[in-house]
C-alpha cells in the first residue's frame, strides 16, 4: 500500500514546448525538437493496424523499428488503447532519439475528443518519467 500511496501522490513537473522537427536553431543548423531524447508517437488502434502511425511520427522511422512495432502489436503488448504506453529503444537506428514512446489514443480519439488527447498526454508523461526519458 505504501508504494501505491507514493505513486498517487508523486508530482510531475512538466514544461511543455511544442517544437517543429525541422526547426532551425540559432547556429543556423537543423536542430532536434527542443533537445528531445525520445519521440512520442500517439497512436489509434486503426493507425497501428494500418501502419499509419509512421506518418504521424513526423520523421522517417527505419524499417527494423517498424517491424518491432508490428511485433509488439502482433503479440498484444501494444494495441493503441487509451492508457497504453510502450517505450521502444531505437538502438542507434535513429541517432537523434534514444527511444520511441508509443502512447495509445484509443477509440475516443476518433471523435477528436480533447479528453482523450489530454489523458494520453498524461500517460505519456508518466511513462517518460518511469523510463527516464526527460525530454519528448
Amino acid at each position: 500500500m505504501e508504494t501505491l500511496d507514493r505513486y498517487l501522490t508523486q508530482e510531475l513537473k512538466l514544461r511543455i514546448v511544442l517544437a517543429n522537427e525541422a526547426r532551425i536553431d540559432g547556429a543556423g543548423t537543423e536542430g532536434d525538437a527542443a533537445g528531445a531524447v525520445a519521440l512520442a508517437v500517439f497512436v489509434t488502434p486503426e493507425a497501428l493496424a494500418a501502419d499509419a502511425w509512421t506518418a504521424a511520427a513526423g520523421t522517417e522511422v527505419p524499417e527494423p523499428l517498424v517491424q518491432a512495432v508490428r511485433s509488439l502489436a502482433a503479440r498484444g503488448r501494444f494495441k493503441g488503447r487509451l492508457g497504453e504506453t510502450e517505450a521502444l529503444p531505437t538502438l542507434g537506428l535513429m541517432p537523434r532519439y534514444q527511444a520511441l514512446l508509443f502512447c495509445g489514443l484509443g477509440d475516443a480519439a476518433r471523435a477528436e475528443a480533447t479528453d482523450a488527447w489530454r489523458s494520453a498526454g498524461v500517460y505519456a508523461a508518466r511513462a517518460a518519467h518511469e523510463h527516464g526519458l526527460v525530454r519528448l
Side-chain angles (χ1 to χ4, degrees), residues 10-90:
Q10 182 181 24
E11 291 182 27
L12 295 176
K13 295 183 181 181
L14 302 175
R15 182 173 151 240
I16 299 173
V17 177
L18 299 178
N20 185 339
E21 179 70 23
R23 86 177 157 81
I24 303 297
D25 64 20
T29 59
E30 188 174 323
D32 63 332
V37 297
L39 179 63
V41 183
F42 293 87
V43 182
T44 63
E46 294 81 17
L48 184 64
D51 280 345
W53 65 268
T54 57
T59 188
E60 187 174 338
V61 179
E63 187 60 29
L65 293 177
V66 173
Q67 291 295 333
V69 174
R70 287 179 186 148
S71 176
L72 287 173
R75 290 182 287 139
R77 292 231 4 231
F78 182 76
K79 296 180 181 181
R81 292 183 294 208
L82 185 62
E84 284 185 325
T85 58
E86 188 69 41
L88 181 67
T90 61

